[in-house]
Amino acid sequence: FMDYLNDGISYARSIQHVNVPSFYTNINAGYRLPKGIISQYYGLSATVDDQRLDSYISKHAAGLTTIVDVDSSKNEMHWIRSAISFEGGYEYKKNKFSTRLTLPVSYQRTAYSDTLYAVKEKDNKVRFNPSYSARYLLDQERELSFSYARKNSFGTIENVYRGLIISNYRSLSNNSAGINESQSDDFALTFKGGKMLKMMFYNLGLSYKGTLSSALLSNSISDTISQSALIQRENSTYTYGIHAGFDKYLFHLASTLKVNASIEWTDYNQLFNDQLLPFQNIAYNLNPSLALKIWRKLNLSYMGTISLVQSKQVDVVGALDRDVVNISQSIGFPVTLFKGFHFNFSARHLYSYQEAFSAINYVFMDTFIRYRSKKWKTDFELNLTNLGNIKRFDTYTVSANMESHNSYQLRGRM
């Protein structure tokens, strides 16, 4: 970062120093009235969150380590947030209909300051986040449910510090916005049905979430450096989803088969090199699972997740479109050979692929053995992990115009 931290003169190494001492406490009390037509609950709570963010950057050049004297490379921020909340909860149930209403009200005060940047801000908010859910039994095997929740979330000290912080070897981040406030409305509608005598169940649901934020993350990318900053700009995100599930007990195999599938659309904006770019992500997910009884004392369990995520810039056909395939599978063979002796073999398969990247493909295998000695009143255990002796693990992620590749060193076989 020689252009930002050393007047354009190259040097050997940057060292980021960060210290974040924190104090958090919460106390709450509740009183319930379970009797009557409408059961009631009343709660009172108080929280305090106190943090400091002290940071500076030093540089190593010509065998010497010195503190960078650029003003924007330091932070001395103090942050404190306190809140007191009151909640009223009401439940009603009669025949085939049941419902629940929660009415929480809170007063929140946030203050933060940093003398280095002449920042001294206060924010007082009254929050009202109601939630409502209802369920109606159409008959003994079918039901319809609905839920709604309003949520308010607020940024933390990570969203308001002003000085530069090195987040990785080519990225700098800071903020210019005030406290980021987000308000979301969540709706869900679900139908469940089945045949109890056949041990078969299914469900189908719709969901919607709309979020309005007071700040937007700005990314500035060049050939040598990436900078991100939270700026004061209104931003909206919308998510729509549909999901379905199937659950069946297979009597002749003494096994359970489950399959869940979903599709989710997310519309959002990204500020990239001072351009506001609209994006849409489409996520397809399939989650099969199987619990199979192979023999009296031998079982097999399988769980899998298959996902395809398509990210594309709206109304533009270009190089920012990305498709990512991820597959995660796990299998287990637990067996009890005789009383007191338990053995389990498990394996996990991870696979990722996207265009222009090499496929990532791993199989991790573990073994567990336990013997319980009744005579000695002692358990003997042996764990063998990472049997394939994998010592490096790579992942990558894609979000709109950002691609991230991560590499982790593992301990190998143990």
Side-chain angles (χ1 to χ4, degrees):
F1 307 107
M2 59 184 185
D3 292 335
Y4 295 85
L5 305 179
N6 204 37
D7 297 324
I9 303 172
S10 63
Y11 59 100
R13 186 167 70 249
S14 300
I15 306 169
Q16 176 68 69
H17 306 264
V18 182
N19 187 34
V20 190
S22 304
F23 171 80
Y24 178 83
T25 187
N26 169 267
I27 185 171
N28 61 77
Y31 185 72
R32 188 177 299 277
L33 299 169
K35 296 181 180 180
I37 299 176
I38 299 177
S39 63
Q40 304 171 57
Y41 170 82
Y42 299 97
L44 187 67
S45 66
T47 61
V48 176
D49 183 9
D50 192 326
Q51 288 184 303
R52 293 194 63 90
L53 172 60
D54 297 310
S55 73
Y56 65 93
I57 300 172
S58 61
K59 58 188 177 183
H60 187 78
L64 298 175
T65 299
T66 57
I67 296 177
V68 173
D69 57 4
V70 178
D71 291 338
S72 59
S73 64
K74 300 176 183 178
N75 285 287
E76 294 180 1
M77 177 160 284
H78 181 213
W79 160 285
I80 185 168
R81 172 175 286 166
S82 58
I84 184 168
S85 305
F86 174 79
E87 175 184 317
Y90 309 92
E91 294 186 40
Y92 172 79
K93 184 177 182 179
K94 185 176 182 181
N95 300 328
K96 298 180 179 181
F97 180 73
S98 61
T99 185
R100 176 182 173 84
L101 176 65
T102 304
L103 302 173
V105 180
S106 64
Y107 172 76
Q108 176 179 282
R109 183 181 186 275
T110 305
Y112 59 93
S113 61
D114 191 328
T115 56
L116 293 177
Y117 305 95
V119 172
K120 189 173 184 179
E121 299 289 342
K122 294 181 181 179
D123 181 77
N124 300 310
K125 293 286 185 181
V126 176
R127 298 187 298 170
F128 177 55
N129 297 322
S131 64
Y132 175 77
S133 63
R135 185 177 70 162
Y136 182 74
L137 300 177
L138 301 173
D139 52 41
Q140 290 185 340
E141 297 179 329
R142 297 181 302 160
E143 70 173 54
L144 189 65
S145 61
F146 169 80
S147 66
Y148 164 77
R150 166 171 286 187
K151 298 177 182 178
N152 284 88
S153 60
F154 294 83
T156 64
I157 193 172
E158 295 182 21
N159 304 128
V160 295
Y161 67 83
R162 296 299 194 257
L164 294 173
I165 286 184
I166 302 173
S167 53
N168 61 48
Y169 76 100
R170 63 176 296 166
S171 297
L172 294 170
S173 60
N174 65 340
N175 306 284
S176 62
I179 298 174
N180 180 24
E181 179 180 356
S182 297
Q183 179 179 296
S184 64
D185 294 285
D186 294 34
F187 296 87
L189 181 65
T190 304
F191 171 78
K192 296 180 180 179
K195 300 290 183 181
M196 289 187 179
L197 294 178
K198 295 183 177 181
M199 294 293 286
M200 180 182 71
F201 306 94
Y202 53 87
N203 64 79
L204 179 67
L206 302 171
S207 62
Y208 164 81
K209 181 178 182 179
T211 302
L212 178 64
S213 302
S214 62
L216 178 63
L217 186 65
S218 172
N219 292 296
S220 299
I221 313 290
S222 68
D223 292 338
T224 58
I225 194 171
S226 166
Q227 285 187 277
S228 61
L230 196 67
I231 65 171
Q232 202 75 33
R233 183 165 180 172
E234 198 170 87
N235 181 40
S236 299
T237 303
Y238 302 98
T239 301
Y240 317 83
I242 180 171
H243 63 86
F246 177 79
D247 186 341
K248 179 72 172 73
Y249 183 77
L250 307 175
F251 290 92
H252 59 290
L253 296 175
S255 307
T256 302
L257 173 67
K258 296 182 180 181
V259 179
N260 292 295
S262 66
I263 305 175
E264 193 172 81
W265 296 264
T266 302
D267 296 317
Y268 64 103
N269 298 304
Q270 195 162 52
L271 194 60
F272 178 65
N273 286 353
D274 297 325
Q275 295 184 63
L276 188 65
L277 306 179
F279 279 85
Q280 183 181 71
N281 281 2
I282 306 176
Y284 304 88
N285 292 287
L286 181 66
N287 303 98
S289 65
L290 176 67
L292 178 63
K293 194 174 186 67
I294 300 177
W295 185 52
R296 286 184 304 172
K297 297 181 179 181
L298 178 61
N299 301 302
L300 181 148
S301 63
Y302 169 83
M303 294 183 65
T305 299
I306 304 169
S307 68
L308 168 63
V309 179
Q310 297 177 326
S311 178
K312 61 182 180 180
Q313 188 178 348
V314 179
D315 299 327
V316 176
V317 178
L320 296 182
D321 293 357
R322 291 288 182 270
D323 294 348
V324 182
V325 177
N326 290 298
I327 299 175
S328 173
Q329 303 177 92
S330 60
I331 191 169
F333 290 97
V335 59
T336 302
L337 296 178
F338 52 84
K339 191 173 182 180
F341 183 85
H342 180 75
F343 170 82
N344 183 52
F345 172 82
S346 61
R348 187 181 182 193
H349 174 227
L350 301 172
Y351 174 84
S352 296
Y353 173 77
Q354 68 165 304
E355 191 177 354
F357 279 85
S358 299
I360 293 175
N361 197 8
Y362 294 96
V363 177
F364 292 94
M365 296 178 290
D366 305 312
T367 298
F368 169 80
I369 302 170
R370 182 177 64 210
Y371 174 69
R372 172 167 294 177
S373 173
K374 214 172 182 183
K375 181 179 179 181
W376 292 353
K377 298 180 180 179
T378 304
D379 288 356
F380 297 91
E381 293 186 0
L382 175 65
N383 288 278
L384 304 174
T385 60
N386 196 1
L387 296 178
N389 200 30
I390 299 171
K391 295 185 177 181
R392 174 174 164 171
F393 179 61
D394 291 271
T395 66
Y396 53 67
T397 58
V398 174
S399 175
N401 51 60
M402 301 287 287
E403 294 176 349
S404 299
H405 175 248
N406 300 290
S407 183
Y408 304 91
Q409 300 302 314
L410 304 183
R411 292 183 178 182
R413 186 184 298 115
M414 296 182 62

